[in-house]
Protein backbone atom coordinates (compact mmCIF):
# COMPACT_ATOMS: atom_id res chain seq x y z
CA UNK A 1 0.00 0.00 0.00
CA UNK A 2 1.50 3.31 -1.08
CA UNK A 3 0.55 6.04 1.38
CA UNK A 4 2.40 9.29 1.85
CA UNK A 5 2.66 11.04 5.20
CA UNK A 6 4.42 13.53 7.42
CA UNK A 7 6.68 13.00 10.40
CA UNK A 8 6.35 15.04 13.60
CA UNK A 9 8.69 17.70 12.15
CA UNK A 10 6.43 18.10 9.12
CA UNK A 11 8.81 16.32 6.75
CA UNK A 12 6.97 14.52 3.95
CA UNK A 13 7.63 10.89 2.93
CA UNK A 14 6.32 9.31 -0.29
CA UNK A 15 5.67 5.99 1.41
CA UNK A 16 6.56 3.86 4.43
CA UNK A 17 9.73 2.44 2.81
CA UNK A 18 11.13 5.93 2.34
CA UNK A 19 10.39 6.75 5.98
CA UNK A 20 12.04 3.58 7.25
CA UNK A 21 15.08 4.04 4.98
CA UNK A 22 15.65 7.41 6.56
CA UNK A 23 14.92 6.25 10.11
CA UNK A 24 16.73 2.91 10.29
CA UNK A 25 18.84 3.03 7.11
CA UNK A 26 19.88 0.53 4.47
CA UNK A 27 21.08 -2.91 5.54
CA UNK A 28 24.68 -1.90 6.29
CA UNK A 29 23.98 0.86 8.76
CA UNK A 30 20.77 -0.72 10.03
CA UNK A 31 21.91 -1.89 13.46
CA UNK A 32 23.30 1.43 14.60
CA UNK A 33 20.37 3.49 13.29
CA UNK A 34 17.90 1.00 14.69
CA UNK A 35 19.51 1.23 18.13
CA UNK A 36 19.19 5.00 17.82
CA UNK A 37 15.50 4.68 16.81
CA UNK A 38 14.75 2.65 19.95
CA UNK A 39 16.85 4.92 22.16
CA UNK A 40 14.86 7.97 21.04
CA UNK A 41 11.57 6.16 21.63
CA UNK A 42 12.48 5.33 25.19
CA UNK A 43 14.05 8.68 25.99
CA UNK A 44 10.82 10.43 24.95
CA UNK A 45 8.87 8.44 27.57
CA UNK A 46 11.60 8.84 30.19
CA UNK A 47 10.75 12.55 30.16
CA UNK A 48 7.03 11.97 30.68
CA UNK A 49 5.28 12.11 34.06
CA UNK A 50 4.09 8.74 35.42
CA UNK A 51 0.36 9.55 35.32
CA UNK A 52 -2.68 8.67 33.22
CA UNK A 53 -2.44 12.04 31.48
CA UNK A 54 1.27 11.39 30.85
CA UNK A 55 0.91 7.96 29.21
CA UNK A 56 -2.05 9.23 27.17
CA UNK A 57 -0.04 12.14 25.76
CA UNK A 58 -2.18 14.77 27.50
CA UNK A 59 -5.48 13.05 26.61
CA UNK A 60 -6.21 11.65 30.07
CA UNK A 61 -9.92 12.28 29.47
CA UNK A 62 -9.90 9.41 26.94
CA UNK A 63 -9.20 6.87 29.71
CA UNK A 64 -12.81 6.17 30.62
CA UNK A 65 -14.18 5.72 27.15
CA UNK A 66 -11.15 3.64 26.15
CA UNK A 67 -11.65 1.25 29.07
CA UNK A 68 -15.41 1.02 28.42
CA UNK A 69 -14.87 0.15 24.76
CA UNK A 70 -12.17 -2.38 25.59
CA UNK A 71 -14.33 -3.95 28.28
CA UNK A 72 -17.24 -4.51 25.88
CA UNK A 73 -14.83 -6.08 23.37
CA UNK A 74 -13.15 -8.24 26.01
CA UNK A 75 -16.46 -9.48 27.40
CA UNK A 76 -17.49 -10.55 23.92
CA UNK A 77 -14.23 -12.41 23.38
CA UNK A 78 -14.28 -14.05 26.77
CA UNK A 79 -17.82 -15.35 26.47
CA UNK A 80 -17.07 -16.58 22.96
CA UNK A 81 -13.62 -18.09 23.58
CA UNK A 82 -13.66 -18.96 27.27
CA UNK A 83 -17.25 -19.87 28.09
CA UNK A 84 -16.05 -21.87 31.10
CA UNK A 85 -14.01 -19.05 32.59
CA UNK A 86 -16.37 -18.78 35.51
CA UNK A 87 -15.78 -22.44 36.37
CA UNK A 88 -12.45 -21.97 38.03
CA UNK A 89 -10.48 -21.54 34.84
CA UNK A 90 -7.27 -19.71 35.77
CA UNK A 91 -6.87 -16.87 33.24
CA UNK A 92 -3.57 -15.07 32.68
CA UNK A 93 -2.91 -11.92 30.61
CA UNK A 94 0.17 -9.99 29.52
CA UNK A 95 -0.12 -6.18 29.28
CA UNK A 96 2.51 -5.07 26.72
CA UNK A 97 3.92 -1.53 26.84
CA UNK A 98 1.86 -1.21 29.99
CA UNK A 99 3.09 2.24 31.02
CA UNK A 100 1.88 2.88 34.58
CA UNK A 101 -0.47 -0.12 34.45
CA UNK A 102 -3.56 1.89 33.46
CA UNK A 103 -5.17 -0.94 31.47
CA UNK A 104 -4.29 -3.64 33.98
CA UNK A 105 -5.65 -1.65 36.89
CA UNK A 106 -8.87 -0.48 35.24
CA UNK A 107 -9.67 -3.57 33.23
CA UNK A 108 -7.46 -6.65 32.98
CA UNK A 109 -7.06 -7.39 36.67
CA UNK A 110 -10.84 -7.60 37.05
CA UNK A 111 -11.07 -10.38 34.46
CA UNK A 112 -7.75 -12.25 34.79
CA UNK A 113 -6.45 -14.11 37.81
CA UNK A 114 -2.93 -13.02 36.97
CA UNK A 115 -1.60 -10.17 34.85
CA UNK A 116 2.05 -9.70 33.89
CA UNK A 117 3.21 -6.25 32.83
CA UNK A 118 5.94 -5.48 30.32
CA UNK A 119 7.26 -1.91 30.19
CA UNK A 120 10.78 -0.71 29.25
CA UNK A 121 10.60 2.64 31.08
CA UNK A 122 11.45 1.97 34.70
CA UNK A 123 9.71 4.93 36.36
CA UNK A 124 6.45 3.87 34.69
CA UNK A 125 6.90 0.29 35.81
CA UNK A 126 7.69 1.42 39.38
CA UNK A 127 4.43 3.41 39.41
CA UNK A 128 2.57 0.33 38.13
CA UNK A 129 4.09 -1.88 40.81
CA UNK A 130 2.97 0.54 43.48
CA UNK A 131 -0.56 1.10 42.22
CA UNK A 132 -1.10 -2.63 41.69
CA UNK A 133 0.14 -3.67 45.13
CA UNK A 134 -2.67 -5.75 46.68
CA UNK A 135 -3.55 -3.03 49.21
CA UNK A 136 -3.99 -0.45 46.41
CA UNK A 137 -6.37 -2.16 44.02
CA UNK A 138 -9.96 -3.30 44.29
CA UNK A 139 -9.82 -6.43 42.15
CA UNK A 140 -11.46 -9.62 43.39
CA UNK A 141 -9.53 -11.76 45.88
CA UNK A 142 -6.84 -13.87 44.30
CA UNK A 143 -6.53 -11.60 41.26
CA UNK A 144 -3.06 -10.11 41.10
CA UNK A 145 -0.31 -8.47 39.05
CA UNK A 146 2.40 -11.12 39.13
CA UNK A 147 5.45 -10.20 37.03
CA UNK A 148 6.80 -6.78 36.09
CA UNK A 149 9.18 -7.15 33.13
CA UNK A 150 11.34 -4.10 32.44
CA UNK A 151 12.19 -4.90 28.80
CA UNK A 152 11.11 -3.62 25.38
CA UNK A 153 8.87 -5.77 23.18
CA UNK A 154 11.56 -6.31 20.55
CA UNK A 155 13.73 -8.08 23.17
CA UNK A 156 11.00 -10.09 24.88
CA UNK A 157 10.16 -13.76 24.54
CA UNK A 158 7.38 -15.00 26.82
CA UNK A 159 7.32 -18.18 28.82
CA UNK A 160 5.80 -20.96 26.72
CA UNK A 161 2.03 -21.39 27.03
CA UNK A 162 1.51 -18.94 29.92
CA UNK A 163 -1.06 -16.49 28.50
CA UNK A 164 -4.74 -16.59 27.56
CA UNK A 165 -4.53 -13.03 26.27
CA UNK A 166 -1.57 -10.88 25.19
CA UNK A 167 -2.84 -7.29 25.18
CA UNK A 168 -0.85 -4.79 23.06
CA UNK A 169 -2.20 -1.25 23.19
CA UNK A 170 -0.83 2.07 22.03
CA UNK A 171 2.80 0.94 21.89
CA UNK A 172 3.30 -1.24 18.79
CA UNK A 173 4.20 1.82 16.69
CA UNK A 174 7.49 1.93 18.56
CA UNK A 175 8.62 -1.23 16.77
CA UNK A 176 10.16 -1.32 13.32
CA UNK A 177 8.17 -3.40 10.81
CA UNK A 178 10.53 -6.40 10.99
CA UNK A 179 10.52 -6.36 14.82
CA UNK A 180 6.74 -6.03 14.76
CA UNK A 181 6.46 -9.27 12.77
CA UNK A 182 9.10 -11.14 14.73
CA UNK A 183 7.53 -10.11 18.05
CA UNK A 184 4.23 -11.75 17.07
CA UNK A 185 6.02 -14.86 15.81
CA UNK A 186 7.97 -15.20 19.07
CA UNK A 187 5.09 -14.23 21.34
CA UNK A 188 2.79 -16.83 19.78
CA UNK A 189 4.53 -19.53 21.82
CA UNK A 190 3.50 -17.63 24.95
CA UNK A 191 -0.19 -18.25 24.25
CA UNK A 192 -2.15 -21.15 25.70
CA UNK A 193 -4.08 -23.22 23.16
CA UNK A 194 -7.05 -21.03 22.17
CA UNK A 195 -5.39 -17.89 23.57
CA UNK A 196 -5.28 -14.70 21.54
CA UNK A 197 -3.59 -11.36 20.92
CA UNK A 198 -5.49 -8.10 21.27
CA UNK A 199 -3.87 -5.24 19.35
CA UNK A 200 -5.41 -1.80 19.86
CA UNK A 201 -4.12 1.24 17.98
CA UNK A 202 -5.55 4.47 16.58
CA UNK A 203 -5.39 5.18 12.89
CA UNK A 204 -6.28 8.71 11.77
CA UNK A 205 -7.94 8.82 8.35
CA UNK A 206 -6.70 12.34 7.86
CA UNK A 207 -4.58 14.89 9.64
CA UNK A 208 -6.65 15.60 12.76
CA UNK A 209 -4.43 18.22 14.34
N1 LIG B 1 -0.43 0.90 26.96
C1 LIG B 1 -0.39 1.91 28.00
C2 LIG B 1 0.73 2.95 27.74
C3 LIG B 1 0.63 3.70 26.42
S1 LIG B 1 1.95 4.90 26.24
C4 LIG B 1 -1.73 2.60 28.13
O1 LIG B 1 -2.54 2.51 27.20
O2 LIG B 1 -1.96 3.23 29.16
C5 LIG B 1 3.12 3.96 25.27
C6 LIG B 1 3.98 3.04 26.11
O3 LIG B 1 4.82 2.27 25.24
C7 LIG B 1 4.90 3.78 27.08
O4 LIG B 1 4.71 3.28 28.36
C8 LIG B 1 6.28 3.48 26.53
O5 LIG B 1 7.31 3.45 27.51
C9 LIG B 1 6.05 2.11 25.89
N2 LIG B 1 7.11 1.75 24.93
C10 LIG B 1 7.95 2.54 24.25
N3 LIG B 1 8.78 1.81 23.48
C11 LIG B 1 8.46 0.53 23.69
C12 LIG B 1 8.99 -0.72 23.22
N4 LIG B 1 10.00 -0.74 22.36
N5 LIG B 1 8.44 -1.87 23.68
C13 LIG B 1 7.40 -1.82 24.56
N6 LIG B 1 6.87 -0.69 25.05
C14 LIG B 1 7.39 0.48 24.62
Amino acid sequence: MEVSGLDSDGKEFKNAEEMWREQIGEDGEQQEKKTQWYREGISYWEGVEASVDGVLGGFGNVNEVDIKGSEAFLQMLLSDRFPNARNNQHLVALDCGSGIGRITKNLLIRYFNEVDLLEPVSHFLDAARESLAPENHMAPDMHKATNFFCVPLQDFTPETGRYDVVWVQWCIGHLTDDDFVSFFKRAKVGLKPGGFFVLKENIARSDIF
Side-chain angles (χ1 to χ4, degrees):
M1 194 170 55
E2 180 103 348
V3 183
S4 64
L6 305 174
D7 71 9
S8 45
D9 299 325
K11 178 167 178 190
E12 186 160 359
F13 294 94
K14 279 204 297 289
N15 51 38
E17 277 94 68
E18 189 181 271
M19 188 277 289
W20 283 123
R21 215 171 312 123
E22 164 146 336
Q23 291 299 325
I24 59 169
E26 308 285 353
D27 285 352
E29 47 181 347
Q30 191 135 6
Q31 206 45 51
E32 199 182 311
K33 285 196 108 175
K34 205 175 184 183
T35 307
Q36 179 67 11
W37 161 269
Y38 283 119
R39 201 179 297 129
E40 284 172 12
I42 298 296
S43 72
Y44 168 78
W45 290 107
E46 279 172 345
V48 170
E49 181 188 271
S51 65
V52 170
D53 214 35
V55 292
L56 296 184
F59 293 92
N61 58 323
V62 162
N63 175 54
E64 206 178 310
V65 69
D66 166 58
I67 296 293
K68 270 197 188 138
S70 292
E71 183 159 13
F73 179 70
L74 182 63
Q75 280 175 345
M76 211 169 64
L77 284 179
L78 288 176
S79 60
D80 193 42
R81 305 292 292 262
F82 303 108
N84 300 321
R86 304 234 174 271
N87 305 335
N88 290 331
Q89 195 180 355
H90 186 88
L91 295 177
V92 184
L94 173 66
D95 182 358
C96 295
S98 67
I100 60 167
R102 181 185 69 86
I103 303 166
T104 294
K105 181 154 185 155
N106 292 307
L107 178 66
L108 300 176
I109 204 160
R110 294 193 278 118
Y111 288 87
F112 295 86
N113 303 80
E114 290 184 72
V115 185
D116 290 347
L117 290 84
L118 174 148
E119 168 54 51
V121 171
S122 58
H123 79 287
F124 284 169
L125 200 60
D126 290 344
R129 206 180 274 112
E130 161 130 35
S131 91
L132 290 162
E135 63 276 18
N136 291 337
H137 71 74
M138 312 269 289
D141 284 354
M142 310 300 290
H143 284 217
K144 59 175 181 174
T146 303
N147 296 302
F148 295 83
F149 302 119
C150 197
V151 282
L153 276 181
Q154 69 274 16
D155 295 339
F156 180 73
T157 303
E159 183 187 317
T160 305
R162 173 162 169 76
Y163 301 108
D164 297 283
V165 171
V166 172
W167 193 280
V168 186
Q169 180 170 346
W170 293 343
C171 65
I172 202 69
H174 280 287
L175 266 56
T176 62
D177 290 357
D178 57 334
D179 285 342
F180 174 111
V181 173
S182 62
F183 165 70
F184 283 102
K185 286 191 174 151
R186 271 194 328 277
K188 197 160 76 167
V189 304
L191 292 175
K192 290 182 193 164
F196 52 87
F197 288 105
V198 173
L199 177 65
K200 184 166 179 179
E201 288 295 332
N202 297 347
I203 310 288
R205 284 182 198 279
S206 58
D207 189 355
I208 53 168
F209 293 107

